[in-house]
Amino acid sequence: MLSRRQLFEQALMCAVAPAVLGNCLSSEAFAEEAAGQPGPNFYPAPELIKAEIFTEMPERFRRSGVKSEWSAVNKIGQPPVDSFIEGLTPDQYGNLYIVDVPFGRLFKISADREWTQLAEWDGEPGGMALHPNGKFFITDYKQGLLTFDPVTNKIEPFLGRRDSERFKGLNDLTFAMNGDIYFTDQGQTGLQDPTGRVYRLRTNGQLDLLLSTGVSPNGLVLHPNETVLFVAMTRDNSVWRVPLFPDGTTGKVGRFASFYGVSGPDSIFIDEQANLFVPHASLGSVFVLNPDGEPIARIVSPKGKTTTNAKFGGPDRKTVYITQSDTGAILKALWPIPGRRVYAETGRT
């Protein structure tokens, strides 16, 4: 068994001069070997969990070779993608719903893995969440906040502007258990322009600006007690912790966890014990952090590195579904603790 130092040295040599070393392990093999080593002084080595492929987008829905505005901006120097799936949303019947960002589409995946396209519009949808009334709320980079009614199959605008001003480009959303909507306005923000926004839309229509200094704010989720909002800041390669005060304000926002890589954390989720699930969009993994921000597990993708969404499904909410966006695959892994209940479940009898 190699020591951690030896593993690091070998990984570095493989990255710099693979031809010299000649017997490089794959990234998955490195991760598996490292999982058996003692961790650093601060915490034990995270458990390594291998995800499996649940389903993949059928060829009939892939738009191979078709150019899109989204690909031109987000995949510079690369061939246009045939799809890029996000917005993962399970329902109580075992179905999964996803959106296709570059081509403005919404799909239903049945429990027996049959894909059906439900809608297509001039948009770039990124996030989605189910309401107890059966409608889906969608954050769309072009169109703002939308709704989709599965009864009529209609996409309709819900909130397109704030004080007559267009948003930068909405990315993701989550519901509080009282129906308030928290959503991110990401646009093209980053370290060069830390002006991304996080909003709360109350059920009475009041729109609160909680943050205006975000570094590419992306996925977000509430702590189970709803006193803290976690926000993935993709270009900061971190997750921020946003305290929510009883009077509706916030303060002492801090960096809860930091990562590395070409991209960063994406659409996050949380379980009943406040363990945070952080899909990383360039490391092919979902990192699981305990309530103190320490890594306790790493769910590794068997296909591709663009892991973007993690949501709990199944009858006991112990199946973690993951979008592998650029390959059009949905992965799954088991977790012993149920995912946090979502607002859509409050309408069930």
Side-chain angles (χ1 to χ4, degrees):
M1 179 181 289
L2 297 176
S3 68
R4 280 186 175 272
R5 181 179 180 83
Q6 289 171 320
L7 280 171
F8 174 77
E9 290 173 347
Q10 185 173 342
L12 183 61
M13 281 296 294
C14 284
V16 175
V20 175
L21 197 60
N23 60 340
C24 292
L25 297 173
S26 67
S27 59
E28 291 82 4
F30 271 122
E32 186 172 6
E33 181 72 20
Q37 303 293 328
N41 294 333
F42 300 106
Y43 45 79
E47 177 187 3
L48 183 70
I49 301 172
K50 292 184 178 180
E52 62 182 70
I53 297 174
F54 175 70
T55 184
E56 297 182 74
M57 179 180 283
E59 286 298 324
R60 68 181 183 276
F61 292 127
R62 294 180 182 269
R63 296 193 172 169
S64 300
V66 179
K67 295 181 180 179
S68 66
E69 283 185 273
W70 186 89
S71 277
V73 173
N74 293 280
K75 299 294 179 181
I76 298 173
Q78 303 177 42
V81 297
D82 59 18
S83 62
F84 195 91
I85 60 172
E86 291 212 52
L88 183 61
T89 306
D91 71 9
Q92 63 178 311
Y93 305 109
N95 304 304
L96 300 176
Y97 297 82
I98 57 165
V99 292
D100 177 21
V101 183
F103 299 111
R105 298 183 291 173
L106 191 157
F107 292 91
K108 174 184 176 180
I109 305 165
S110 68
D112 57 2
R113 310 182 195 193
E114 283 294 320
W115 290 59
T116 305
Q117 181 174 318
L118 301 179
E120 182 172 353
W121 67 98
D122 179 23
E124 292 176 354
M128 185 162 60
L130 185 58
H131 192 280
N133 65 13
K135 291 184 178 181
F136 292 83
F137 280 68
I138 301 167
T139 43
D140 189 293
Y141 191 92
K142 286 185 176 181
Q143 307 291 352
L145 189 59
L146 308 174
T147 61
F148 170 73
D149 188 339
V151 176
T152 63
N153 281 352
K154 286 186 177 180
I155 295 283
E156 295 183 330
F158 190 81
L159 182 67
R161 300 192 294 174
R162 175 181 182 265
D163 297 334
S164 77
E165 179 185 25
R166 289 284 181 184
F167 295 110
K168 292 174 178 287
L170 299 192
N171 185 282
D172 208 349
L173 77 159
T174 190
F175 280 105
M177 294 303 279
N178 68 352
D180 289 350
I181 304 172
Y182 292 80
F183 63 94
T184 51
D185 188 17
Q186 182 187 64
Q188 294 297 305
T189 61
L191 290 172
Q192 88 291 350
D193 175 25
T195 60
R197 301 164 181 164
V198 178
Y199 289 99
R200 174 179 54 218
L201 179 61
R202 299 176 188 252
T203 54
N204 64 5
Q206 178 179 323
L207 184 63
D208 304 322
L209 177 60
L210 299 178
L211 281 179
S212 59
T213 57
V215 183
S216 191
N218 195 319
L220 67 177
V221 70
L222 288 157
H223 187 282
N225 65 19
E226 300 201 339
T227 62
V228 170
L229 179 70
F230 295 100
V231 184
M233 295 290 178
T234 304
R235 302 305 163 192
D236 188 46
N237 237 314
S238 67
V239 175
W240 290 11
R241 182 181 183 275
V242 183
L244 300 173
F245 299 151
D247 64 357
T249 62
T250 187
K252 294 189 175 180
V253 175
R255 187 176 287 113
F256 180 70
S258 294
F259 296 85
Y260 60 93
V262 176
S263 187
D266 207 296
S267 187
I268 56 180
F269 201 64
I270 203 164
D271 70 17
E272 285 186 342
Q273 295 183 13
N275 297 307
L276 190 66
F277 288 68
V278 184
H280 195 288
S282 65
L283 296 180
S285 299
V286 177
F287 296 93
V288 186
L289 311 179
N290 70 17
D292 294 319
E294 298 170 333
I296 58 173
R298 179 178 182 177
I299 305 173
V300 180
S301 166
K303 182 174 184 177
K305 293 186 176 182
T306 314
T307 40
T308 56
N309 289 222
K311 293 289 175 63
F312 282 85
D316 55 4
R317 302 197 311 276
K318 291 183 179 180
T319 302
V320 182
Y321 292 100
I322 303 160
T323 52
Q324 213 302 313
S325 294
D326 60 353
T327 64
I330 294 177
L331 318 175
K332 74 172 186 177
L334 299 180
W335 185 250
I337 303 163
R340 182 192 181 228
R341 290 186 70 229
V342 295
Y343 180 51
E345 295 179 90
T346 63
R348 300 180 189 175
T349 56

